[in-house]
Amino acid sequence: MINRIKGILAAVENFQPKNIEEIEEFRLKYLSKKGLIPALFDDFRDVPVDQKKQIGAEINILKQKAIEKLNELKDSMSVTQEGKIDIDLTRPGDPIKIGSRHPLSIVRNEIIGIFTKLGFCVADGPEIEDDKHNFSLLNFPQNHPARDMQDTFFISPDMNVLLRTHTSSVQAHEMSELKPPIRSLSPGRVYRNEAISARAHCLFHQVEGLYVDKDVSFADMKQTLDYFAKEMFGEKTKTRLRPSYFPFTEPSAEMDVSCSLCGGKGCNVCKGTGWLEILGCGMVDPNVFIATGIDPKIYSGFAFGMGIERITMLKYGIKDLRLFFENDIRFLNQFTAAI
Ligand code: DAH
C-alpha cells in the first residue's frame, strides 16, 4: 500500500500538462470519484489496524498535494495556453462605479448657472487672506466690534494673515484691481473658529455677488435677488428684505424666502414664521468705494453673500450640516441623480 501511495505521489508531483485538456485528465485520473486517490480511501478499510495511522496520514498528504497541484496548474493555464488567451472576451466588462457630484457642488453650480444668465462672471480669490482684503478695505476699522462677528483663524502672530472668514474678501480684490462695470460671483470656502454642530462648522462655503456700475439701485438688487430665489426654490417663492447691518454695505439687509416646506404657513423648519433667511445684501458702502479707488459719485453697486450649506439644506431638507463633511457614501449616493 505504501509503495502504491509513493508511486502515485511521484506521478502527481512530476506531472506536466501540455494543455488544459490534460489538466482535466489529471483531475479525472487522480481526484474524481473513480480516481486513484479515492480508490486508496476505499482500500484503506482493509489495512491492518496497526498500520492505519501511518497509511491514513500518507493518503491525506497525497490528496492534499494533488489538490494543490491541480489548483496551481489551473491558475497558470488560465492566463495563456500555447499562446491562446483563455478568457471569455464576450463577457460584459465589470461596471466601473462612477462617482457623483457632492450636493454642495451641485448647488454651487446651480447658483452660478442662475447668475451667469444675468451676466455675472465667476471670480476667484485666495483662502489665505490678509487683514486688508478680509477686513480693512471692507470698512471694518481696527478694533471695531464688527470684527468679533466673525471668529477668525489667524495665521500670523501679528494677526495680519488669516483664513478668510467670508467671500466678501474677493469683492475687495475685484474693486481694487478692476475698473467698473464689475459683475462678479465668487464661490468658495470660508473659515471661522466655531464649535462644530448641526448648524455650524469651522469650514463652510459661501457665494459672494457684486455688481458695480453707474446708476445701480436698491431696486436692481431687489429684482436680481428675487429672480434668484424664484429660480432656486421655485416660481411661487416669495421674498422679503429685512434691515440689517454689515460694515461694507449701506443700507444693509437680509433676505428671507417663503418657507418651501409649509408654503409660508409656518412649520418647525421655519420655526412657525413662514420665512427662511438665505442671504445678506446691501448697497456697497461709499467708504468701500473710496478705500478701493472707485469714485462713489460716479458709481454705485450692490453686493450679496450667501452660505451654500444653508441653501443646500433648505433645498434638500438636510438637517445636519456635518453630513456634508463626513463623506458617508449612503448620504452622497442620494444625489447621484442630480447633475
Ligand atoms: N459677508 C457676510 C457674511 O459672511 C455676508 C454678506 C452680507 C455679504 C452682506 C455681502 C453683503 O456682500 O452685502 O456674513
Side-chain angles (χ1 to χ4, degrees):
M1 185 87 175
I2 279 285
N3 286 341
R4 217 169 111 204
I5 298 170
K6 287 206 171 123
I8 298 173
L9 183 62
V12 164
E13 281 176 341
N14 294 329
F15 177 74
Q16 290 298 343
K18 289 189 201 69
N19 51 39
I20 285 192
E21 287 74 32
E22 284 190 13
I23 298 177
E24 178 58 9
E25 279 163 22
F26 174 90
R27 188 187 70 78
L28 290 170
K29 182 171 174 188
Y30 294 104
L31 289 161
S32 69
K33 263 190 198 156
K34 288 187 183 148
L36 291 176
I37 295 172
L40 286 173
F41 281 101
D42 290 341
D43 297 345
F44 180 70
R45 271 181 247 125
D46 306 328
V47 170
V49 179
D50 59 334
Q51 294 175 26
K52 267 195 189 305
K53 196 173 169 196
Q54 189 210 349
I55 291 188
E58 297 284 345
I59 300 176
N60 277 324
I61 292 169
L62 169 63
K63 187 180 172 190
Q64 205 47 47
K65 290 233 160 107
I67 292 172
E68 276 168 21
K69 176 93 182 186
L70 180 68
N71 288 339
E72 263 170 41
L73 293 173
K74 275 189 188 162
D75 283 352
S76 64
M77 278 285 170
S78 65
V79 184
T80 56
Q81 181 222 330
E82 289 167 359
K84 269 196 286 166
I85 297 172
D86 185 38
I87 47 171
D88 180 1
L89 294 174
T90 62
R91 259 184 64 186
D94 292 331
I96 298 167
K97 277 197 182 158
I98 299 176
S100 58
R101 289 207 193 284
H102 193 280
L104 294 177
S105 303
I106 295 171
V107 171
R108 179 201 55 207
N109 292 348
E110 223 175 315
I111 298 171
I112 294 173
I114 296 170
F115 282 103
T116 45
K117 275 196 273 180
L118 297 175
F120 284 75
C121 299
V122 174
D124 226 4
E127 288 174 27
I128 297 176
E129 262 302 356
D130 50 13
D131 180 278
K132 183 172 154 190
H133 291 90
N134 199 78
F135 292 125
S136 304
L137 290 178
L138 294 170
N139 198 32
F140 286 83
Q142 282 298 336
N143 307 319
H144 192 280
R147 290 189 182 219
D148 297 342
M149 281 160 67
Q150 311 194 338
D151 304 296
T152 312
F153 283 118
F154 292 100
I155 293 178
S156 64
D158 65 359
M159 291 160 88
N160 185 40
V161 186
L162 45 90
L163 291 178
R164 69 178 176 193
T165 59
H166 53 178
T167 42
S168 303
S169 56
V170 188
Q171 22 162 319
H173 282 282
E174 294 282 292
M175 282 194 272
S176 40
E177 288 153 31
L178 301 175
K179 281 204 177 93
I182 303 168
R183 217 181 294 170
S184 69
L185 197 70
S186 317
R189 293 191 197 107
V190 299
Y191 304 84
R192 289 188 199 178
N193 190 0
E194 292 198 26
I196 297 170
S197 71
R199 321 190 95 243
H201 211 286
C202 54
L203 154 73
F204 56 102
H205 300 78
Q206 286 187 335
V207 177
E208 182 80 12
L210 174 70
Y211 181 25
V212 179
D213 203 347
K214 287 175 186 156
D215 301 323
V216 177
S217 69
F218 196 89
D220 292 332
M221 180 185 86
K222 212 176 146 184
Q223 179 63 36
T224 306
L225 296 178
D226 187 75
Y227 170 78
F228 162 72
K230 287 187 167 55
E231 288 283 299
M232 192 70 190
F233 295 106
E235 231 176 292
K236 292 204 181 98
T237 308
K238 292 194 193 69
T239 56
R240 71 175 185 189
L241 291 172
R242 281 179 293 101
S244 184
Y245 170 75
F246 299 101
F248 36 92
T249 43
E250 183 59 37
S252 302
E254 274 166 325
M255 189 171 89
D256 297 342
V257 291
S258 52
C259 178
S260 49
L261 279 166
C262 63
K265 283 189 208 82
C267 65
N268 63 351
V269 173
C270 59
K271 299 199 187 83
T273 63
W275 294 98
L276 298 161
E277 186 211 313
I278 61 158
L279 54 81
C281 57
M283 301 306 290
V284 178
D285 192 300
N287 286 340
V288 176
F289 279 137
I290 293 165
T292 54
I294 294 176
D295 187 346
K297 288 193 206 82
I298 304 174
Y299 293 105
S300 57
F302 65 79
F304 56 88
M306 65 186 101
I308 303 182
E309 278 80 358
R310 176 145 179 89
I311 306 274
T312 312
M313 288 168 92
L314 295 176
K315 203 171 157 76
Y316 291 108
I318 298 163
K319 296 215 169 69
D320 194 322
L321 192 96
R322 289 168 291 197
L323 285 166
F324 292 126
F325 301 96
E326 279 166 2
N327 278 340
D328 186 332
I329 205 82
R330 291 166 301 176
F331 171 69
L332 298 175
N333 264 344
Q334 297 175 58
F335 301 90
T336 43
I339 321 151

